[in-house]
Amino acid sequence: MRGRAPWALAVALVLLAAPASGQALRVVAFGDSVTEAIPFDLASPSCQASNPDTCGYTGRLASSRYYDCRPSSCTFANRGRSGEKTAQALSRIDPVLRERDWDLLILMEGTNDLASVSPQTTLFNLALMADKAEARGVGVAPASIIWYNPSVPRSQTPGLNAAAGNLRALIRSRAASERQCFVDAYNQLCPAGASQAGCFAKNYWVPPAGGVDFVGHPNPRGYDVLAREFYRVLGAAGAPGAVEIVEPTDEVCGDQAALAWDRETVAGTGCGNWFRVQIDGPRGTPLDRWFSEGDVCDRGGCRTVAPVSLKEGSHSIRIQTRNTAGYGPWSAERAFTVVPRAPAKIRVLRAPQGRFYEQGGVAAEFRWQPEGPADSYRLEVKSGSKTVLDETLDEGLECSRSECAFTLADSLGAGRYTWRVLAQNICGGTWSEAALFEIFDSPPARAPEAVGPTQRIFDRTPLLRWKTVAGADAYDVEDPSGNTIRLPAAGACRGDTCRFPAAALAPGVHSWRVRAANPLGDGAWSPALSFEVADCDCFEGFAAGGASFLLAVPDPWNGDLVIWSHPSNAFRVLEIEEFGPLAQRQFDAGYALATTSYSVSGWPLFRSQRDLERVFTVFSARYGRPRNVFLAGKSVGALVTAAALEKAKLGNVVGALAMCGPLAGTRNWEGVLDLRLAYDAVCAGVPGAELAGGPKGLPNVPQLEPADVRAAVDFCTGIGKPKPMRTRPEQDRLSALLAVNGIAESGLQDAMQLATFGLSDLVRDRKKLKGKVPVGNLGVDYGSTSLNLAIERTEPNAKAARKLDQASELKGKTRGTKLITLHTSLDSVAFVENEYELAQLLPEENLVTGVIKEPKASHCGFTEVEELTAWETLVDWAGGGNRPKPKALQKRCARLRPVAPGACRFDNRPKLRPLDTRIRPRP
């Protein structure tokens, strides 16, 4: 079945005569009271109260009234259970499947779910039952449920019947996608629904005491109707004939043996034929499975690849046919031989790698570790997208037991190259991973871009930072003291940024510059970059756990301290370099400053309380205990700030500023998971769009950069193109992804960075959840039938969920501290609806929420004057002023524009909605 094990037998119901092969058909009907049929069918002469197998549609299918189904030729078992919901059925299905080797499971469940369970959740449970059956080689024939009682007035009956209709559509759609025989019982007993008078009296059961059957069960006549529908769908004109094997021929590769045969078709059922493929080899029978016609056949015949690796040596293959009428004969047996496997992927490419500096280019010698059993090697060399060489090597190739070498006839000029090697034989081979090398034939072409520091700093030994330059293997730094130091690029640079720690500097204005160099000469100097070292008592250091911290105290000091919590960074802990966007203004106003990096990357809540307490302890020991403490943070640092109000021991905390934070904690990760899994489903099969990892996020992180994720999203959605240039499938996929969480188009790329890198860091980091997924999406309704069926479903790990909740969930215990939060209206990383959830926890007198109305989505896209407005408002409020109203923020912002740049966009009347309106609720 498509997306499932192709050998699962999903047919084989009726016999007009005993099966030609002598095999008995074994069918089990699994459902609720409609399947059980007792007491509703007791008026039927064949139904025995002590033997459900004789009752309902199960008993009729086994009786001669419908088929010649003697006990020696087939078995029909009734495993219906009255009052059962699909969740209960899930716990019962395994013992039933273990009873015997069933050929077919008739699945008719869901009636009892409708009053309290969504159709999507019911379908999900039914799909799990079907998967369990198929995993044991049992075919599945799903059936829709029947109407609730259509003729008895009941206020909720119309709604229940509408839900039954929705469930029918979902079951039918999934059955079609899985190539299953779908039996539509929904409209059989009362085709026109509740409006058809008299159908209850004809086809529905009436209790003997004259009561009312509010649910609605078939009577004997109703079961006749249902049985005829099962027969109509599953009946067939006769057993199929034999097939003729086309492949394999004389020799095949054991791990990719192609199987092909001419299809044998018999008129009747629309569910198609099934083929049992049996291969015998020198060590037994490595393959004996059933394949569905829908999965392996088209008009030209049937073709698949053996799903097992075959050992070297002599083998034989034969194929048997089957349809809903029974078994056909075996084909003629064909012999074939399995030859040695294809060579494994070459794992060691020795040279060239790295950088080469030579005028006139380089005569490249390629060397790699050989891989047997290889008949030949194919070398590919590319410069960007242009292929420089792609050929199977013959002359000039030299191989020993430990190394192969090949030298190009012509030199390669300056440029960036990749190369890879394919070891191959008649079974094929797999390309090695590509290796990178660069050739430079001149000095660096441009001056480096110096990026910092650029303004007043509080660290007297600052890090001088600049961007890397192509072709540089060293950099000359002219430091603020006028000294020139040559630094190897390998030691100074990481990623696209280089760093050099300056010697201790006196307060005042300083400047520096940098140039790139390589063995062929020096590049140009960058423009000099100036910055000011503040006149302060400053201190930097490292705390236990690896976190770095900075402290700064002005002269004079007003006695108050601001502790800044910064945004985080996935996958590595960064050394802290700044005190936040308002640091200069706060310092000039007399506030001492403290900040610390986090001792874990990504989601820092697991250890951030301890990190903040450590820096506070160091500050107090060095400068004395501050009179008042203010907390401030941005992005995940805003949640760190809010959590510290509740948990951390930081002295007399009087006010806090939390900007653009995921303040609802764990709930945000449910939204991240939804987007990640929706992306996997919507973008599946789109060339260039695949992102590995699923619910655990991206594996092998160093092999992928943010730009790679942006490119993948663009391949899938065309989001980087103007709208008129997008294809219809691109626009449809983009619309489907945006609808998952209601994010703006301009925010999708930022959201996918979090769903790729952030999710991976949270789940896979051994300092956090050690590979356990803390959130799930079982039963979540995504508002789209196609997405509900296609999206991967995952169950949260209970231990990981508890650990994440304990670290991340706020309780609302801020101990009277004044808190101002700031959020942009279209934030696609931490939705503004987080503010609603926080407002439900905190007393109104302790919280003010500022919402910035933005035309284009951003995460923390505030202007400087908006941040300054929030800060000065907090200081006044914490100092005894009145609680400000939202429109007061806009007025104050307008007054501050002469002293701080940017627009004022505060919403005077922000209307916050629950987070459930953005992140799909969990059942």
Side-chain angles (χ1 to χ4, degrees), residues 632-645:
K634 181 178 283 189
S635 188
V636 72
L639 181 56
V640 169
T641 294
L645 292 181

Side-chain angles (χ1 to χ4, degrees), residues 8-328:
L9 179 59
V11 289
L13 176 57
V14 297
L15 284 177
L16 298 176
S21 67
Q23 292 176 269
L25 295 173
R26 299 160 298 256
V27 181
V28 58
F30 191 82
D32 48 35
S33 56
V34 174
T35 298
E36 186 180 39
I38 297 174
F40 320 115
D41 193 34
L42 288 178
S44 173
S46 61
C47 177
Q48 304 170 21
S50 60
N51 185 5
D53 293 353
T54 64
C55 300
Y57 64 83
T58 312
R60 285 160 175 76
L61 291 174
S63 71
S64 59
R65 179 178 177 184
Y66 291 92
Y67 308 113
D68 180 13
C69 196
R70 299 178 299 277
S72 62
S73 60
C74 63
T75 298
F76 277 78
N78 185 333
R79 296 297 181 266
R81 178 169 291 182
S82 179
E84 181 175 67
K85 294 183 178 181
T86 55
Q88 298 166 312
L90 264 174
S91 65
R92 189 170 65 91
I93 187 74
D94 286 327
V96 171
L97 292 173
R98 289 195 294 265
E99 286 182 19
R100 63 181 67 186
D101 293 331
W102 303 108
D103 293 314
L104 177 66
L105 171 75
I106 297 176
L107 186 57
M108 190 178 182
E109 286 265 13
T111 300
N112 298 300
D113 283 24
L114 295 188
S116 58
V117 181
S118 72
Q120 289 76 17
T121 299
T122 300
L123 178 71
F124 180 74
N125 292 338
L126 292 171
L128 285 180
M129 288 183 247
D131 291 347
K132 287 175 177 288
E134 291 168 350
R136 298 179 64 88
V138 182
V140 180
S144 58
I145 62 176
I146 64 174
W147 289 97
Y148 269 71
N149 189 334
S151 62
V152 176
R154 191 182 186 193
S155 60
Q156 61 189 129
T157 300
L160 293 170
N161 282 332
N166 292 337
L167 179 59
R168 167 186 176 268
L170 293 173
I171 294 174
R172 181 173 189 169
S173 176
R174 186 179 191 277
S177 68
E178 297 294 319
R179 302 294 194 272
Q180 295 168 341
C181 298
F182 172 66
V183 181
D184 191 3
Y186 176 72
N187 274 330
Q188 301 309 310
L189 304 189
C190 191
S195 63
Q196 181 175 349
C199 67
F200 172 68
K202 294 179 181 179
N203 295 327
Y204 281 73
W205 177 72
V206 177
V212 176
D213 176 21
F214 283 103
V215 173
H217 296 88
N219 59 20
R221 175 174 174 150
Y223 279 116
D224 287 344
V225 173
L226 289 183
R228 285 196 297 270
E229 179 63 12
F230 275 96
Y231 175 70
R232 185 188 69 80
V233 174
L234 299 172
V243 303
E244 181 178 348
I245 297 175
V246 177
E247 289 188 75
T249 53
D250 294 339
E251 292 185 342
V252 300
C253 297
D255 56 353
Q256 47 189 289
L259 312 177
W261 60 92
D262 289 335
R263 179 175 56 182
E264 173 66 24
T265 302
V266 172
T269 177
C271 298
N273 297 331
W274 286 73
F275 305 92
R276 181 182 181 184
V277 179
Q278 188 178 88
I279 296 178
D280 291 320
R283 300 183 184 178
T285 303
L287 180 64
D288 188 357
R289 294 185 182 177
W290 287 93
F291 291 83
S292 161
E293 179 183 54
D295 286 333
V296 298
C297 301
D298 56 27
R299 292 183 179 180
C302 306
R303 177 175 292 274
T304 189
V305 174
V308 294
S309 182
L310 304 177
K311 304 294 183 182
E312 294 180 36
S314 298
H315 291 70
S316 64
I317 180 174
R318 62 175 185 163
I319 299 175
Q320 184 186 21
T321 53
R322 186 173 184 175
N323 68 6
T324 52
Y327 295 83

Side-chain angles (χ1 to χ4, degrees), residues 340-366:
R341 62 175 175 82
K345 178 168 68 174
I346 293 175
R347 302 194 179 277
V348 180
L349 299 181
R350 295 201 169 102
Q353 296 191 47
R355 292 179 170 180
F356 300 85
Y357 301 94
E358 186 171 337
Q359 291 179 331
V362 172
E365 181 186 59
F366 297 90

Side-chain angles (χ1 to χ4, degrees), residues 694-840:
K696 289 190 176 183
L698 184 75
N700 302 321
V701 173
Q703 298 182 9
L704 210 65
E705 297 292 334
D708 299 316
V709 175
R710 289 193 291 271
V713 175
D714 192 23
F715 277 123
C716 175
T717 65
I719 197 170
K721 306 175 184 176
K723 286 185 179 180
M725 296 181 63
R726 294 174 192 159
T727 65
R728 180 59 181 270
E730 286 173 342
Q731 185 60 54
D732 289 346
R733 291 192 289 266
L734 175 59
S735 298
L737 289 178
L738 297 180
V740 172
N741 290 328
I743 60 178
E745 181 177 311
S746 53
L748 179 61
Q749 288 285 16
D750 284 344
M752 280 302 302
Q753 295 290 324
L754 179 62
T756 307
F757 296 109
L759 183 63
S760 180
D761 178 78
L762 175 72
V763 173
R764 297 179 185 273
D765 187 357
R766 295 197 62 81
K767 294 181 180 179
K768 301 185 187 77
L769 301 181
K770 301 180 181 179
K772 306 298 183 183
V773 180
V775 292
N777 66 339
L778 297 184
V780 174
D781 179 7
Y782 291 97
S784 163
T785 299
S786 59
L787 184 56
N788 281 334
L789 293 172
I791 197 167
E792 181 179 352
R793 302 286 179 167
T794 186
E795 184 175 4
N797 177 273
K799 185 176 180 180
R802 285 194 302 272
K803 187 174 182 181
L804 182 60
D805 285 348
Q806 289 168 359
S808 312
E809 293 298 287
L810 301 177
K811 307 298 183 184
K813 301 176 181 179
T814 58
R815 298 176 279 195
T817 303
K818 311 302 184 186
L819 174 63
I820 291 182
T821 62
L822 206 58
H823 227 113
T824 49
S825 59
L826 299 180
D827 195 326
S828 57
V829 175
F831 302 138
V832 68
E833 286 77 9
N834 276 275
E835 302 290 350
Y836 175 92
E837 305 302 326
L838 181 65
Q840 306 312 300

Side-chain angles (χ1 to χ4, degrees), residues 545-603:
S548 64
F549 62 84
L550 296 175
L551 309 176
V553 177
D555 185 16
W557 175 31
N558 67 11
D560 292 349
L561 172 67
V562 179
I563 301 178
W564 168 250
S565 295
H566 62 92
S568 190
N569 181 71
F571 303 121
R572 67 177 184 266
V573 174
L574 298 181
E575 187 171 340
I576 196 70
E577 296 179 358
E578 57 185 25
F579 289 101
L582 297 172
Q584 184 169 330
R585 297 180 184 276
Q586 292 163 337
F587 186 82
D588 290 344
Y591 291 92
L593 307 175
T595 186
T596 176
S597 65
Y598 307 121
S599 53
V600 294
S601 60
W603 192 253

Side-chain angles (χ1 to χ4, degrees), residues 509-727:
V509 177
H510 301 268
S511 64
W512 67 283
R513 60 180 183 163
V514 62
R515 70 181 177 188
N518 67 26
L520 303 178
D522 301 332
W525 285 101
S526 70
L529 196 66
S530 297
F531 61 93
E532 179 187 0
V533 175
D535 187 4
C536 71
D537 187 351
C538 298
F539 181 67
E540 62 177 327
F542 288 88
S548 64
F549 62 84
L550 296 175
L551 309 176
V553 177
D555 185 16
W557 175 31
N558 67 11
D560 292 349
L561 172 67
V562 179
I563 301 178
W564 168 250
S565 295
H566 62 92
S568 190
N569 181 71
F571 303 121
R572 67 177 184 266
V573 174
L574 298 181
E575 187 171 340
I576 196 70
E577 296 179 358
E578 57 185 25
F579 289 101
L582 297 172
Q584 184 169 330
R585 297 180 184 276
Q586 292 163 337
F587 186 82
D588 290 344
Y591 291 92
L593 307 175
T595 186
T596 176
S597 65
Y598 307 121
S599 53
V600 294
S601 60
W603 192 253
L605 277 300
F606 297 98
R607 299 188 182 181
S608 58
Q609 175 184 339
R610 183 172 56 186
D611 295 332
L612 293 180
E613 288 177 342
R614 280 173 174 165
V615 74
F616 177 76
T617 299
V618 172
F619 181 92
S620 299
R622 186 176 182 87
Y623 301 108
R625 194 173 181 86
R627 179 185 59 183
N628 298 313
V629 175
F630 290 87
L631 306 181
K634 181 178 283 189
S635 188
V636 72
L639 181 56
V640 169
T641 294
L645 292 181
E646 298 187 358
K647 304 175 183 179
K649 298 177 181 179
L650 301 174
N652 182 33
V653 180
V654 296
L657 174 60
M659 297 182 282
C660 51
L663 301 171
T666 299
R667 190 85 172 88
N668 288 275
W669 287 108
E670 293 176 342
V672 172
L673 179 77
D674 288 343
L675 180 61
R676 177 59 216 255
L677 296 184
Y679 179 90
D680 293 345
V682 169
C683 301
V686 179
E690 180 182 5
L691 293 173
K696 289 190 176 183
L698 184 75
N700 302 321
V701 173
Q703 298 182 9
L704 210 65
E705 297 292 334
D708 299 316
V709 175
R710 289 193 291 271
V713 175
D714 192 23
F715 277 123
C716 175
T717 65
I719 197 170
K721 306 175 184 176
K723 286 185 179 180
M725 296 181 63
R726 294 174 192 159
T727 65

